[in-house]
Amino acid sequence: MELVLAAAIGILAASGTWLLLRPRTFQVIIGLTLISYAVNLFIFSIGGLRTGADPVLHHAAGDIAQYADPLPQALVLTAIVIGFATTALFLVVLLTSRGLTGNDHVDGEDGTP
Amino acid sequence: MPDATLPSAILALPFAAALLLLRPRGRRLAVWLMTGTALLGLLLSLWLYPAIANGGALRQVIPWAPGLGLDLVLRVDGFAWLFMLLICGIGLLVGIYARYYMPADDPLARFFALLLAFMGSMLGIVMSGNVIQLVFFWELTSLFSFLLIGYWHHGASARDGARMALVVTSGGGLCLFAGVLLLGHVVGSYDLDAILAAGDAVRAHPWYTPTLLLILLGAFTKSAQFPFHFWLPQAMSAPTPVSAYLHSATMVKAGVFLLVRFWPVLAGTEQWFWIVGGVGLVTLILGAYAAMFEQDLKGVLAYSTISHLGLITMLVGLGSTLGVVAAIFHIVNHATFKASLFMAAGAVDHEAGTRDLRRLGGLRRFMPITATLALVAAAAMAGVPLLNGFLSKEMFFAETLAARQGPLLDMIPVVIAVAASAFGVTYSIRFVRGVFFGRVPAGLPREPHEPPLWMRFPIGLLALACLLVGMLPAQVIGPSLRAAAAAVLGAGQVPEYSLAVWHGLTTPLLMSVLAFVAGCLLFVSLRRRFAALETAPLTGRFSGKRIFERVMAVVAADLPQRIERRYPSRRLQPQLLLIVLLALVAGTLAATSAPFGFRPRWSSVDPAFALLWLLGAACAIGAASQAKFHRLAALVLTGGAGLVSCVSFVWLSAPDLAATQLLVEVVTTILILLGLRWLPKRIEGLAAESRVHRFRRRRDMVIATAAGLGVASLAYAAMMHPVADSISRFFLERAYIEGGGHNVVNVILVDFRGFDTLGEISVLAIVALTVFALLRRFRPAAESINVPLQQQRQTALDAGQPDRAVDHSLTDYLMIPGLIIQLMFPVILLFGLHLFLRGHDLPGGGFVAGITVAVALILLYMARGARWVETHLRVLPVRWIGLGLLLAAGTGLASLAFGRPFLTSYFHYAELPLLGRLPLASAVLFDLGVFCVVVGATTLMLIALAHQSLRRPRQLPATAEGES
């Protein structure tokens, strides 16, 4: 389980990093999305992986051995929503820059692939 | 015994009055507010006297962040009280004076608002019982001084002088802040009383010297001590009331105030003696020397102020208790005679139209009263007997004689003290002689006459104070001086001193006589030279102003430019490369330097999960390779990777995350799809690939692989590391008992960490509004403006067939799915509501429900088109955002009404008809706010982007703007 997820996080991060270093805005936005998947999974996994644990309390108070760790989940949940907001903002900045500079290079200058 | 809350009233009064003047008001009201506030402050301060008369201190503590040692502590002791009298008293006189001094067409509201705010800040400094608070007010005075110097901001010299004063004094303020932090660390408290009690510990601490240096930097810059004295003459571009108030009587005294205040803590060491005494001595003689050669009236007074501040600094630096008493005495004396001299100089400038000593003369005949008053004040400045300046100067001489150390330094301070005193006599004579005596020069800009009564009144009052203190010192100033000295030194430590005019034939008296005679001789012999010289000989070439400007040019312009040229700061790509490389290096360093404290072991591999991530990895790599030429494919593949991580969340017992991830995935994809239309076409194989590009790709591939490997091993190590006891246990145990919900994740979001969530939805709202604002002025590239090819073809097809109208296929597009979506719309809304209501106990909640509703809306847009939706449904996303923020913040604030901290939640189970037993936690209301913000923000962004396609192209000007 852990090994697979770690490898998955690595591949997502590597693909994202590669795209991040590309010159086109669209590549960068996709790269950021992939990196955010990797980071979300990473933060989520910090609490240890649990399959079949209860996410919702059955009794008044729960024990950590029986239930899924709620803390990383709460962290990642907000991260997902904020990630969406930044993606949207970046997309609009990207479109505006495309309108202003006439191309979709991250530095606003064409000529390099 | 006066009330203990009085100090806070005195402090708040000027700020409140300044706030009243924020809106433009009449001149008369402004004057009344200024003088009334100062008078009230003065009376209230006087009323405080019984509380501090015996060396006691009045303390008022308003807790703010007690855990950090930060409280609003107001502490009034005898020393602070004396300063409060100065600040309020001279503030009152300056207010009266400014009413007649300032030009008649100046509305004065802004002027007096700034002056009042300065008064409050200065009161804040002297009343601070917490050193951090002291620094805060310290910087405030620098700021208001900046604004007041630059009050006539159309003049370049005012702006330059203001900037220089701000840079020097607030820079010193930063040093002071650092020093105070060190001091607080050494003592273990930021409370002034605790610090004052810990003098021995501070002096013995190894950090004593850096602490001392930093605090001294603050004090020296503020009090214009050498080598930071150059800002004060430049600050003379300020209106004269400001110079009289800030730059002679109060603000520049803040530095020496600090020295005296910290005297019990920091003084008594070698470093203190040499640095403070030495700087004071140099400033004393340099200021007096430069003052003799000034041609500008206010310039003479400015350099004289520098010199007198040096005198006070030197007194404090000598380290004896008598020196401190003399310093306090001279602070008061200097404030009275220098403020009146500044006002007299202002009156001369006001009446004669010039401040140039070479152009003035003989004004005694036109303004005899002003001349007499100025004469008295100048005599006090020169140290003539029967005036207050004489008394403190005698004490100063006695102290320099007493502080003689070693054979080499035996006489130097004494000689310098006498020389500076002689120079003081010279420039005082020059000031009076040059302005009021001699022939009346031809060509004065204005015909001079006596200034109005109320302009003379403040000068007269201060001159009277000089006389009274000079003749009856023990009666007039004796008790308050003793109270102030007792407050600084401790009640039992005040040395014996005598405030008599005549002490008999003593050495200090002889020194005074010597200085007086030398000063007179110097004036007579050098009279002609003074008028002929532009700058002072010897020192005039070393202009602090020029050095400052050169340093500023290097630090603020040349250096940044050089760095900017060397570093590719304008280009994103190299920056991102640098960031990634730095992260790699840092990660490698961390991994190699601190070995893991456990042994990694193999984990079991679930084949189904591995298969799932095989798919996910393929999607990610595919997206990476296709993002350049096949954007749609890349987007779909990214969505695939997102879905796989969503499934993983379900697999790993996190249904809340999975739901959120799934919905956000949908919304993000739609958003990027909407944006794709505006990107330029990119066709594979058109441009030949050069070697540079191939090299870059390989390089990036290597970097990306390294980064991936690093992240993977880090993640693996983190997962295999045994989990320490985290706060999750707390959340699990308290979620139901205190938060009233079974869904712990939701309870954390809306209850335990509600403040974080409030911040987060604010970010969301800000982003949505930013997106909206950016898109309002969106200018697409020329080639993307035309209707897409597919749409063009359909329109052409429609036009060619007799039974079809134009745009027919556009309206019929997705007819059946559209109808289904329209029918499903209320169902999805209901599902969103369901998700919201169950959120506290089962997976769901405001975020998920909000995105669900937004998805429902956007599906409707896709199915029926924006025009149809907007004619049938009023979607007001901005209102949703506003309502949501208000709800969330309001729920939080409501708990304040019950005396609980912000965002405390309350819950209760209630039986509702039809719905049954429902948890009614106040957190649900908060969650409703979250829900509204998410709905509003998401729809706002999507709709704003979708509307771009509806806007008419720019070929039709004029109407293009207001379209969306």
Side-chain angles (χ1 to χ4, degrees), chain B residues 709-766:
Chain B
L709 278 176
V711 174
S713 45
L714 181 65
Y716 188 66
M719 279 185 260
M720 300 315 283
H721 197 283
V723 182
D725 197 17
S726 75
I727 49 169
S728 306
R729 181 189 297 279
F730 170 87
F731 290 132
L732 280 169
E733 280 165 4
R734 306 290 178 85
Y736 184 74
I737 298 168
E738 290 180 7
H742 286 107
N743 184 359
V744 189
V745 178
N746 186 267
V747 175
I748 292 178
L749 286 178
V750 299
D751 192 337
F752 290 130
R753 307 296 307 163
F755 199 62
D756 295 356
T757 311
L758 187 64
E760 195 202 345
I761 57 175
S762 311
V763 170
L764 200 60
I766 293 166

Coordinates of all heavy atoms in Angstrom, one line a residue, chain B residues 709-766:
Chain B
L709 N 11.7 11.3 -7.4 CA 12.3 10.3 -6.5 C 12.4 10.8 -5.1 O 12.1 10.1 -4.2 CB 13.8 10.0 -7.1 CG 13.8 8.9 -8.2 CD1 15.2 8.8 -8.7 CD2 13.2 7.6 -7.7
G710 N 12.8 12.1 -5.0 CA 13.0 12.7 -3.7 C 11.6 12.7 -2.9 O 11.5 12.2 -1.8
V711 N 10.6 13.2 -3.6 CA 9.3 13.2 -3.0 C 8.8 11.9 -2.6 O 8.2 11.6 -1.5 CB 8.3 14.0 -3.9 CG1 6.9 13.9 -3.3 CG2 8.7 15.4 -4.2
A712 N 9.0 10.9 -3.6 CA 8.5 9.5 -3.3 C 9.2 9.0 -2.1 O 8.5 8.4 -1.2 CB 8.8 8.7 -4.5
S713 N 10.5 9.1 -2.0 CA 11.2 8.5 -0.8 C 10.8 9.3 0.5 O 10.6 8.6 1.5 CB 12.7 8.5 -1.0 OG 13.1 9.8 -1.5
L714 N 10.6 10.6 0.4 CA 10.2 11.3 1.5 C 8.8 10.8 2.0 O 8.6 10.6 3.2 CB 10.1 12.8 1.2 CG 9.7 13.7 2.3 CD1 10.7 13.7 3.4 CD2 9.5 15.2 1.8
A715 N 7.9 10.7 1.0 CA 6.5 10.2 1.3 C 6.6 8.8 2.0 O 5.9 8.6 3.0 CB 5.7 10.2 0.1
Y716 N 7.4 8.0 1.4 CA 7.5 6.6 1.9 C 8.0 6.6 3.3 O 7.5 6.0 4.2 CB 8.4 5.8 1.0 CG 8.4 4.3 1.4 CD1 7.3 3.6 1.2 CD2 9.5 3.7 1.9 CE1 7.2 2.2 1.6 CE2 9.5 2.4 2.3 CZ 8.3 1.6 2.1 OH 8.3 0.3 2.4
A717 N 9.1 7.4 3.6 CA 9.7 7.5 4.9 C 8.6 8.0 5.9 O 8.5 7.5 7.0 CB 10.9 8.4 4.9
A718 N 7.9 9.0 5.4 CA 6.9 9.6 6.3 C 5.8 8.6 6.7 O 5.4 8.5 7.8 CB 6.3 10.9 5.7
M719 N 5.4 7.8 5.7 CA 4.3 6.9 5.9 C 4.8 5.8 6.8 O 4.0 5.3 7.6 CB 3.8 6.3 4.6 CG 2.8 7.2 3.9 SD 2.2 6.4 2.4 CE 3.2 7.2 1.2
M720 N 6.0 5.4 6.7 CA 6.5 4.2 7.5 C 6.9 4.7 8.9 O 7.2 3.8 9.7 CB 7.7 3.6 6.8 CG 7.3 3.0 5.4 SD 5.8 2.1 5.4 CE 6.3 0.6 6.2
H721 N 7.0 6.0 9.1 CA 7.4 6.4 10.4 C 6.3 6.2 11.4 O 5.2 6.6 11.1 CB 7.8 7.9 10.3 CG 8.6 8.4 11.4 ND1 8.1 8.7 12.6 CD2 9.9 8.7 11.5 CE1 9.0 9.1 13.4 NE2 10.2 9.1 12.8
P722 N 6.6 5.7 12.5 CA 5.5 5.5 13.5 C 4.9 6.9 13.9 O 5.6 7.9 14.1 CB 6.2 4.9 14.7 CG 7.6 5.1 14.5 CD 7.9 5.2 13.0
V723 N 3.6 6.9 13.9 CA 2.9 8.2 14.1 C 3.0 8.6 15.6 O 2.7 7.8 16.5 CB 1.4 8.2 13.7 CG1 0.8 9.5 14.0 CG2 1.3 7.7 12.3
A724 N 3.5 9.7 15.9 CA 3.6 10.2 17.3 C 2.2 10.6 17.7 O 1.3 10.7 16.9 CB 4.6 11.4 17.4
D725 N 2.1 10.7 19.0 CA 0.8 11.1 19.6 C 0.4 12.5 19.1 O 1.0 13.5 19.4 CB 0.9 11.1 21.1 CG -0.5 11.0 21.7 OD1 -1.5 10.7 20.9 OD2 -0.6 11.3 22.9
S726 N -0.6 12.6 18.2 CA -0.9 13.8 17.6 C -2.2 14.4 18.2 O -2.8 13.8 19.1 CB -1.1 13.7 16.1 OG -2.4 13.1 15.8
I727 N -2.5 15.6 17.8 CA -3.7 16.2 18.4 C -5.0 15.6 17.8 O -6.1 15.9 18.3 CB -3.8 17.7 18.2 CG1 -3.5 18.1 16.7 CG2 -2.8 18.4 19.1 CD1 -3.8 19.5 16.4
S728 N -4.9 14.6 16.9 CA -6.0 14.0 16.4 C -6.8 13.3 17.5 O -8.1 13.3 17.5 CB -5.6 12.9 15.4 OG -4.8 13.4 14.4
R729 N -6.1 12.8 18.5 CA -6.8 12.1 19.6 C -7.8 13.1 20.3 O -8.9 12.8 20.5 CB -5.7 11.7 20.6 CG -6.3 11.0 21.8 CD -5.2 10.8 22.8 NE -4.1 10.0 22.3 CZ -4.2 8.6 22.3 NH1 -5.2 8.0 22.8 NH2 -3.2 7.9 21.8
F730 N -7.3 14.3 20.5 CA -8.1 15.4 21.0 C -9.4 15.6 20.2 O -10.5 15.6 20.8 CB -7.3 16.7 21.1 CG -8.1 17.9 21.5 CD1 -8.3 18.2 22.8 CD2 -8.7 18.7 20.5 CE1 -9.0 19.4 23.1 CE2 -9.4 19.8 20.8 CZ -9.5 20.2 22.2
F731 N -9.2 15.7 18.9 CA -10.4 15.9 18.1 C -11.4 14.8 18.1 O -12.6 15.0 18.2 CB -10.0 16.1 16.6 CG -9.2 17.4 16.4 CD1 -8.0 17.5 15.7 CD2 -9.8 18.6 16.9 CE1 -7.4 18.7 15.5 CE2 -9.1 19.8 16.7 CZ -7.9 19.8 16.0
L732 N -10.8 13.5 18.1 CA -11.7 12.4 18.1 C -12.5 12.3 19.5 O -13.7 11.9 19.5 CB -10.9 11.1 17.9 CG -10.6 10.8 16.5 CD1 -9.6 9.7 16.5 CD2 -11.8 10.4 15.7
E733 N -11.8 12.7 20.5 CA -12.5 12.6 21.8 C -13.5 13.7 22.0 O -14.5 13.5 22.7 CB -11.5 12.6 22.9 CG -10.8 11.3 23.1 CD -9.5 11.4 24.0 OE1 -9.3 12.5 24.5 OE2 -8.8 10.4 24.1
R734 N -13.2 14.9 21.5 CA -14.1 16.0 21.8 C -15.1 16.3 20.7 O -16.0 17.1 21.0 CB -13.2 17.3 22.0 CG -12.1 17.1 23.0 CD -12.7 17.0 24.4 NE -11.7 16.8 25.4 CZ -11.0 17.8 25.9 NH1 -11.2 19.0 25.6 NH2 -10.0 17.5 26.8
A735 N -15.0 15.7 19.5 CA -15.8 16.2 18.4 C -17.3 16.1 18.7 O -18.0 17.1 18.5 CB -15.5 15.3 17.2
Y736 N -17.7 15.0 19.3 CA -19.1 14.9 19.6 C -19.5 15.6 20.9 O -20.5 16.4 21.0 CB -19.6 13.5 19.7 CG -21.1 13.3 19.9 CD1 -21.9 13.6 18.8 CD2 -21.6 13.1 21.1 CE1 -23.3 13.6 19.0 CE2 -23.0 13.0 21.3 CZ -23.8 13.3 20.3 OH -25.2 13.3 20.4
I737 N -18.6 15.5 21.9 CA -19.0 16.0 23.3 C -19.0 17.5 23.2 O -19.9 18.1 23.8 CB -17.9 15.5 24.3 CG1 -18.0 14.0 24.4 CG2 -18.2 16.1 25.6 CD1 -16.9 13.4 25.1
E738 N -18.1 18.1 22.5 CA -18.1 19.6 22.5 C -18.5 20.2 21.2 O -19.0 21.3 21.2 CB -16.6 20.0 22.8 CG -16.2 19.7 24.3 CD -14.8 20.2 24.6 OE1 -14.2 20.9 23.7 OE2 -14.4 19.9 25.7
G739 N -18.4 19.5 20.1 CA -18.9 20.1 18.9 C -20.2 19.6 18.4 O -20.8 20.1 17.5
G740 N -20.7 18.5 19.0 CA -22.0 18.0 18.6 C -22.1 17.4 17.3 O -23.2 17.4 16.7
G741 N -21.0 16.8 16.8 CA -21.1 16.2 15.4 C -20.4 14.9 15.4 O -19.3 14.7 16.1
H742 N -20.8 13.9 14.6 CA -20.1 12.7 14.5 C -19.1 12.7 13.4 O -18.1 12.0 13.4 CB -21.1 11.6 14.1 CG -22.0 11.1 15.3 ND1 -23.3 11.5 15.4 CD2 -21.7 10.5 16.4 CE1 -23.8 11.0 16.6 NE2 -22.8 10.4 17.2
N743 N -19.3 13.6 12.4 CA -18.3 13.7 11.4 C -17.1 14.6 11.8 O -17.2 15.8 11.8 CB -18.9 14.3 10.1 CG -18.0 14.3 8.9 OD1 -16.8 13.9 9.1 ND2 -18.4 14.8 7.8
V744 N -16.1 14.0 12.3 CA -15.0 14.7 12.9 C -14.4 15.7 12.0 O -14.1 16.9 12.4 CB -13.9 13.7 13.5 CG1 -13.0 14.5 14.4 CG2 -14.6 12.6 14.3
V745 N -14.2 15.4 10.7 CA -13.6 16.3 9.8 C -14.4 17.6 9.7 O -13.8 18.7 9.8 CB -13.4 15.6 8.4 CG1 -12.8 16.6 7.4 CG2 -12.6 14.4 8.5
N746 N -15.7 17.4 9.6 CA -16.5 18.6 9.5 C -16.5 19.4 10.7 O -16.5 20.6 10.7 CB -18.0 18.1 9.1 CG -18.9 19.3 8.9 OD1 -19.5 19.8 9.8 ND2 -18.9 19.8 7.7
V747 N -16.5 18.7 11.9 CA -16.5 19.5 13.1 C -15.2 20.3 13.3 O -15.2 21.4 13.7 CB -16.6 18.5 14.3 CG1 -16.5 19.3 15.6 CG2 -18.0 17.9 14.3
I748 N -14.1 19.6 12.8 CA -12.8 20.4 12.8 C -12.9 21.6 12.0 O -12.5 22.7 12.4 CB -11.6 19.5 12.3 CG1 -11.4 18.4 13.3 CG2 -10.4 20.3 12.1 CD1 -10.3 17.4 12.8
L749 N -13.5 21.5 10.8 CA -13.5 22.6 9.9 C -14.4 23.7 10.4 O -14.1 24.9 10.3 CB -14.1 22.1 8.5 CG -13.1 21.3 7.7 CD1 -13.7 20.9 6.4 CD2 -11.8 22.2 7.4
V750 N -15.6 23.4 10.9 CA -16.5 24.5 11.2 C -16.5 24.9 12.6 O -17.1 25.9 13.0 CB -18.0 24.1 10.8 CG1 -18.1 23.9 9.3 CG2 -18.5 22.9 11.6
D751 N -15.8 24.1 13.5 CA -15.9 24.4 14.9 C -14.5 24.6 15.5 O -14.1 25.7 15.8 CB -16.6 23.3 15.6 CG -17.0 23.7 17.0 OD1 -16.3 24.5 17.6 OD2 -17.9 23.1 17.6
F752 N -13.7 23.5 15.6 CA -12.4 23.6 16.2 C -11.5 24.6 15.5 O -10.8 25.4 16.1 CB -11.7 22.2 16.3 CG -12.4 21.3 17.2 CD1 -12.7 20.0 16.9 CD2 -12.7 21.7 18.5 CE1 -13.3 19.1 17.7 CE2 -13.3 20.8 19.4 CZ -13.6 19.5 19.0
R753 N -11.5 24.4 14.2 CA -10.6 25.3 13.4 C -11.4 26.3 12.6 O -11.1 26.6 11.4 CB -9.6 24.5 12.5 CG -8.8 23.5 13.2 CD -7.9 24.0 14.2 NE -7.0 25.0 13.7 CZ -6.3 25.9 14.4 NH1 -6.4 25.9 15.7 NH2 -5.6 26.8 13.9
G754 N -12.5 26.8 13.2 CA -13.4 27.6 12.4 C -12.7 28.9 11.9 O -13.0 29.4 10.8
F755 N -11.8 29.4 12.7 CA -11.1 30.6 12.3 C -10.3 30.4 11.0 O -10.3 31.3 10.1 CB -10.2 31.1 13.4 CG -9.8 32.5 13.3 CD1 -10.8 33.5 13.4 CD2 -8.5 32.9 13.1 CE1 -10.4 34.8 13.3 CE2 -8.1 34.2 13.1 CZ -9.1 35.2 13.1
D756 N -9.7 29.2 10.9 CA -8.9 28.9 9.6 C -9.9 28.9 8.5 O -9.6 29.4 7.4 CB -8.3 27.5 9.7 CG -7.2 27.5 10.8 OD1 -7.0 28.6 11.4 OD2 -6.6 26.4 11.0
T757 N -11.1 28.2 8.7 CA -12.0 28.1 7.6 C -12.6 29.5 7.2 O -12.8 29.8 6.0 CB -13.2 27.2 8.0 OG1 -12.6 26.0 8.6 CG2 -14.1 26.9 6.9
L758 N -12.7 30.4 8.2 CA -13.2 31.7 7.9 C -12.2 32.4 7.0 O -12.5 33.0 6.0 CB -13.4 32.5 9.2 CG -14.0 33.9 9.1 CD1 -15.4 33.8 8.6 CD2 -14.0 34.6 10.4
G759 N -10.9 32.2 7.3 CA -9.8 32.8 6.5 C -9.9 32.2 5.1 O -9.7 32.9 4.1
E760 N -10.1 30.9 5.0 CA -10.1 30.2 3.8 C -11.2 30.7 2.8 O -11.0 31.0 1.7 CB -10.2 28.7 4.0 CG -9.9 27.9 2.8 CD -10.5 26.5 3.0 OE1 -10.9 26.2 4.1 OE2 -10.5 25.9 1.9
I761 N -12.4 30.8 3.4 CA -13.5 31.3 2.5 C -13.3 32.7 2.1 O -13.7 33.1 1.0 CB -14.9 31.0 3.2 CG1 -15.1 31.7 4.5 CG2 -15.3 29.6 3.3 CD1 -16.5 31.6 5.1
S762 N -12.6 33.5 3.0 CA -12.3 34.9 2.6 C -11.4 34.8 1.4 O -11.6 35.6 0.4 CB -11.7 35.6 3.7 OG -12.4 35.5 4.9
V763 N -10.4 33.9 1.4 CA -9.5 33.8 0.3 C -10.3 33.5 -1.0 O -10.1 34.0 -2.1 CB -8.4 32.7 0.5 CG1 -7.6 32.4 -0.7 CG2 -7.5 33.2 1.6
L764 N -11.2 32.5 -0.8 CA -12.0 32.1 -2.0 C -12.8 33.3 -2.5 O -12.8 33.5 -3.7 CB -13.0 31.0 -1.5 CG -13.5 30.1 -2.6 CD1 -12.4 29.3 -3.3 CD2 -14.5 29.1 -1.9
A765 N -13.4 34.0 -1.6 CA -14.2 35.2 -2.1 C -13.3 36.2 -2.8 O -13.6 36.7 -3.9 CB -14.9 35.8 -0.9
I766 N -12.1 36.4 -2.2 CA -11.2 37.4 -2.9 C -10.8 37.0 -4.2 O -10.8 37.7 -5.2 CB -10.0 37.6 -2.0 CG1 -10.4 38.3 -0.7 CG2 -8.9 38.5 -2.7 CD1 -9.3 38.3 0.4

